[in-house]
Amino acid sequence: TQLLEQSPQFLSIQEGENLTVYCNSSSVFSSLQWYRQEPGEGPVLLVTVVTGGEVKKLKRLTFQFGDARKDSSLHITAAQPGDTGLYLCAGARSGNTPLVFGKGTRLSVIA
Amino acid sequence: GAVVSQHPSWVICKSGTSVKIECRSLDFQATTMFWYRQFPKQSLMLMATSNEGSKATYEQGVEKDKFLINHASLTLSTLTVTSAHPEDSSFYICSARDRDRGDEQFFGPGTRLTVL
């Protein structure tokens, strides 16, 4: 059972378009993290959201944590080729337990 | 801050040999480190959780005698792939949890292992 459902799995868009990636679960998380990974490299932490309903912005990226802390979304405005990569959401549960990862969204932005 | 290094970044070895991969937290103390395996175009698969000074906790299906993990200090964990076979070829990534930053995990750059 995949505890974190991430969608879409693949996304190919033109430069300048907007997109949203979703991360959903039936479980409550104490926090949720978004990572971006490029081929041959480790994931890089983009943001951590902790409070239900929280919205964080990182330049053209907007992250939202659901009110019930079960879901999250990543919205990219005016996507650029440099945004291409694998986006991973990961939920943290209480205690010193490993993060639960979604399957990832592979984004390709075409110039 | 929160930099994690891995060494080597890539390694090619013959079948039957053992390979050691190091994971270091460079500017913070990591009470917990995690080892992942990643297949092409897939997400991360957790192999084991490593706590400093204690035995690692392995995920179901991961052979602890094949993938030896040692977390001897607050800044270093090692993964040794023993008697490597071609099916062990993969991208291995470690991450470390900064005990002062709650749930956040910081990842190393990964190690590409190719077993001939």
Side-chain angles (χ1 to χ4, degrees):
Chain A
T1 303
Q2 183 68 26
L3 293 179
L4 260 179
E5 297 288 342
Q6 197 171 335
S7 63
Q9 266 191 282
F10 302 96
L11 193 54
S12 182
I13 60 172
Q14 293 291 125
E15 181 178 3
E17 293 183 2
N18 302 332
L19 67 115
T20 303
V21 177
Y22 299 94
C23 204
N24 296 299
S25 176
S26 57
S27 302
V28 176
F29 294 102
S30 57
S31 68
L32 199 136
Q33 290 147 50
W34 285 92
Y35 294 85
R36 178 165 161 261
Q37 184 183 23
E38 299 199 36
E41 299 180 12
V44 174
L45 179 65
L46 296 174
V47 78
T48 299
V49 284
V50 179
T51 307
E54 182 177 6
V55 176
K56 280 191 175 179
K57 291 194 174 185
L58 187 65
K59 295 184 181 177
R60 292 175 295 100
L61 278 60
T62 301
F63 305 86
Q64 186 163 7
F65 202 12
D67 291 340
R69 307 208 317 273
K70 294 182 180 181
D71 53 83
S72 181
S73 64
L74 157 61
H75 182 79
I76 301 180
T77 304
Q80 298 177 2
D83 296 326
T84 295
L86 176 67
Y87 289 83
L88 296 160
C89 64
R93 292 172 290 190
S94 59
N96 194 22
T97 54
L99 292 175
V100 176
F101 277 87
K103 288 191 174 181
T105 295
R106 192 161 298 277
L107 172 66
S108 176
V109 182
I110 303 164
Chain B
V3 179
V4 177
S5 71
Q6 261 182 261
H7 178 80
S9 54
W10 59 269
V11 56
I12 301 173
C13 69
K14 291 183 179 180
S15 188
T17 61
S18 294
V19 174
K20 181 186 281 188
I21 302 170
E22 291 187 350
C23 178
R24 292 181 185 273
S25 57
L26 299 185
D27 53 1
F28 66 97
Q29 292 186 326
T31 49
T32 306
M33 287 184 170
F34 304 90
W35 286 95
Y36 295 84
R37 186 172 176 177
Q38 187 175 34
F39 294 101
K41 299 188 178 181
Q42 292 189 23
S43 187
L44 305 173
M45 184 186 80
L46 179 66
M47 298 175 66
T49 301
S50 167
N51 290 298
E52 185 263 338
S54 63
K55 290 184 179 180
T57 302
Y58 290 81
E59 294 299 300
Q60 194 172 6
V62 178
E63 298 176 58
K64 59 183 178 183
D65 293 332
K66 179 163 188 63
F67 298 100
L68 300 177
I69 291 172
N70 183 278
H71 192 162
S73 77
L74 285 172
T75 59
L76 173 64
S77 177
T78 60
L79 166 67
T80 302
V81 183
T82 62
S83 187
H85 288 113
E87 57 264 31
D88 298 326
S89 298
S90 193
F91 193 52
Y92 292 88
I93 311 175
C94 72
S95 71
R97 181 170 278 163
D98 184 345
R99 64 181 182 180
D100 294 327
R101 296 196 195 195
D103 299 327
E104 291 180 344
Q105 283 182 219
F106 300 93
F107 285 84
T111 297
R112 170 75 55 195
L113 170 63
T114 302
V115 185
L116 303 176

